[in-house]
Amino acid sequence: MRITFFFALACWISASALAQTAAPAGDPQGMASRALAGDPGSATFAVWRDGHLATAAAQNAAPKAPLASGSGLTAVLPLFEIGSISKVFTGLLLAQAVERGDLVLDDTLGGLLHGEVKFSSPAVAAITLRQLITHSSCLPRQFGELRGGAAIVDQIRNADRPALWSALASQTIAGAGPCPASYSNYGMAVVGEVLARRYGKPWADLVQERIVSPLGMSDTMQHLGDHSPRLAAGYNGRKSAEPWDMQAFAGAGGLRSSAQDMVTFGRALLMGRTGPLGAAAERVLQPLADYVGGQIGYGVFVDGPPGKRTYSHDGQTGGFRSLLTMAADTGEVRVVLTSNSQANVFATVADWMVARYPASDAAVPVEPARLADFAAMYRVTPTLAFTVVVQDGALYVRSTNGVFRAYRPVAPDRFTRPAGGAQITFSRAADNAVTGLVLEQSGRSTQARRVGDVVPDGMVLRQGEAARYAGRYAAARLLREAIEFDVREEAGQLMVRSSAFPWEPVFPLARQLDRFRYQGLAELQFERDAAGQAAALVL
């Protein structure tokens, strides 16, 4: 399919510069702006550190309510959908139930839903609360045979308890749990509805009575009611997005909140049993299982060694993106809430995490021929892998959906990227063949096994080349809907998004000038003008 898009630079320059500029760790205003990276929407950033709260806001579109900036609370704050951070609230409700003795982690669905759900699979009936809250239940991410994004969104927004129980009744899994961790909105929705059934009231009411009211979090709720005008206008990239009201999936992602309320929540969790939430706050942060290089508590991700643990969860809905991060050793809480589902919320904690878990920069020489030993693909999970290539005497690594980044040797089989706080150590078999790798970053240690060699030729752009293509490209012919492509540089490589799809990496094809390939089959061909500048692209 040939669709040509012409280059339009004027709207892009400020966004491109912003995306490449790191905000200082102590600059809340810069952090809020950095999260949006030039896209429309609103963002609030809040950090509690050394007994003080600092907040700031940024906006690239007219918000529905005034945005606060400063060190204190204001009378009117914008509200944001916090998405999957709601899972931490569900985890806390479960921790409270366990503390009361109302439930135990080894309770099974068969026992909890006896008389209401007739399970067709004994393995599903045997799933425990422990497995559900740690994403090790073997349940898929969503239930049913969903074939597209619209169907998934419809399920998240509209599925009620009867639909959830019906799905469980017919659900099958390959074998008995626990399974290796695999993120499941479905499983966490089940926990929320099990709690609601156990106590005879909606999940949102439990959150209000047992968490929100005791902590004085007046900005945190599922149903907005009179607060609807305070919800920030949502976006998906440059397109507007509707709010997500949920039913049975509320426990997996249905809450709205403000950054200051989320700081209050994070502080209460870190206080443990001496704080207002009592022993359940301590329990919710206790590691229960392994999770993709780190650990997981009651729905909370746990990274780092015992003396320097970091707790976190992020969230995303159709028009919002959020992140809550807590440091146990310093008592620091960081929150960023945005009204754009493509916002780079992790950029707001990147430098902070590098400082917490630094990587060595003591480079040592390695024979270029020896680097070829490492070029291969390394599999972590069915959906996550690392690709390692060698080009121009340097080692480059990328993870699924990421770009290639250069690593420097610090030992014969060890490489680091100090700017990202990342270290990779390769493992070898008795015959000296490279068999796997371990990536250590942000307090996580992720193991991957070698699954196949790759042909690295032409996969990495040489220094300075990516900037030639960066810009915005608009459709050259009239279509029912306007189609535009954004192209940006990231770590010297190219990321591309269209009006309908989020940012994805593209990779140069060997011996084909200005031609790039997505991770799938689609390709982009850039075309140059008489001056040699990129002026159009063909999909």
Side-chain angles (χ1 to χ4, degrees), residues 12 125 337 344 532:
W12 179 256
L337 306 180
N344 187 3

PDB file of all heavy atoms in Angstrom, residues 12 125 337 344 532:
ATOM      1  N   TRP A  12       6.587  20.547  15.292  1.00  0.00           N
ATOM      2  CA  TRP A  12       7.283  19.458  15.952  1.00  0.00           C
ATOM      3  C   TRP A  12       8.502  19.880  16.747  1.00  0.00           C
ATOM      4  O   TRP A  12       8.905  19.220  17.685  1.00  0.00           O
ATOM      5  CB  TRP A  12       7.712  18.430  14.899  1.00  0.00           C
ATOM      6  CG  TRP A  12       8.467  17.278  15.503  1.00  0.00           C
ATOM      7  CD1 TRP A  12       9.803  17.038  15.467  1.00  0.00           C
ATOM      8  CD2 TRP A  12       7.918  16.214  16.286  1.00  0.00           C
ATOM      9  NE1 TRP A  12      10.116  15.894  16.144  1.00  0.00           N
ATOM     10  CE2 TRP A  12       8.982  15.370  16.661  1.00  0.00           C
ATOM     11  CE3 TRP A  12       6.625  15.906  16.701  1.00  0.00           C
ATOM     12  CZ2 TRP A  12       8.781  14.238  17.434  1.00  0.00           C
ATOM     13  CZ3 TRP A  12       6.438  14.764  17.463  1.00  0.00           C
ATOM     14  CH2 TRP A  12       7.501  13.953  17.814  1.00  0.00           C
ATOM     15  N   ALA A 125     -11.027 -23.644  39.185  1.00  0.00           N
ATOM     16  CA  ALA A 125     -11.621 -23.639  40.524  1.00  0.00           C
ATOM     17  C   ALA A 125     -10.549 -23.660  41.605  1.00  0.00           C
ATOM     18  O   ALA A 125     -10.769 -23.164  42.718  1.00  0.00           O
ATOM     19  CB  ALA A 125     -12.555 -24.830  40.686  1.00  0.00           C
ATOM     20  N   LEU A 337       0.654  12.039  37.230  1.00  0.00           N
ATOM     21  CA  LEU A 337      -0.638  11.734  36.620  1.00  0.00           C
ATOM     22  C   LEU A 337      -0.773  12.578  35.361  1.00  0.00           C
ATOM     23  O   LEU A 337      -0.550  13.795  35.410  1.00  0.00           O
ATOM     24  CB  LEU A 337      -1.787  12.043  37.578  1.00  0.00           C
ATOM     25  CG  LEU A 337      -1.744  11.401  38.970  1.00  0.00           C
ATOM     26  CD1 LEU A 337      -2.975  11.818  39.770  1.00  0.00           C
ATOM     27  CD2 LEU A 337      -1.662   9.885  38.872  1.00  0.00           C
ATOM     28  N   ASN A 344       5.005   9.715  28.627  1.00  0.00           N
ATOM     29  CA  ASN A 344       6.173   8.958  29.086  1.00  0.00           C
ATOM     30  C   ASN A 344       6.351   9.174  30.589  1.00  0.00           C
ATOM     31  O   ASN A 344       7.223   9.920  31.034  1.00  0.00           O
ATOM     32  CB  ASN A 344       7.415   9.394  28.321  1.00  0.00           C
ATOM     33  CG  ASN A 344       8.630   8.528  28.641  1.00  0.00           C
ATOM     34  OD1 ASN A 344       8.533   7.555  29.397  1.00  0.00           O
ATOM     35  ND2 ASN A 344       9.758   8.866  28.069  1.00  0.00           N
ATOM     36  N   GLY A 532      18.353  17.142  -0.586  1.00  0.00           N
ATOM     37  CA  GLY A 532      18.789  15.960   0.149  1.00  0.00           C
ATOM     38  C   GLY A 532      18.142  15.790   1.504  1.00  0.00           C
ATOM     39  O   GLY A 532      18.528  14.909   2.273  1.00  0.00           O
TER      40      GLY A 532
END
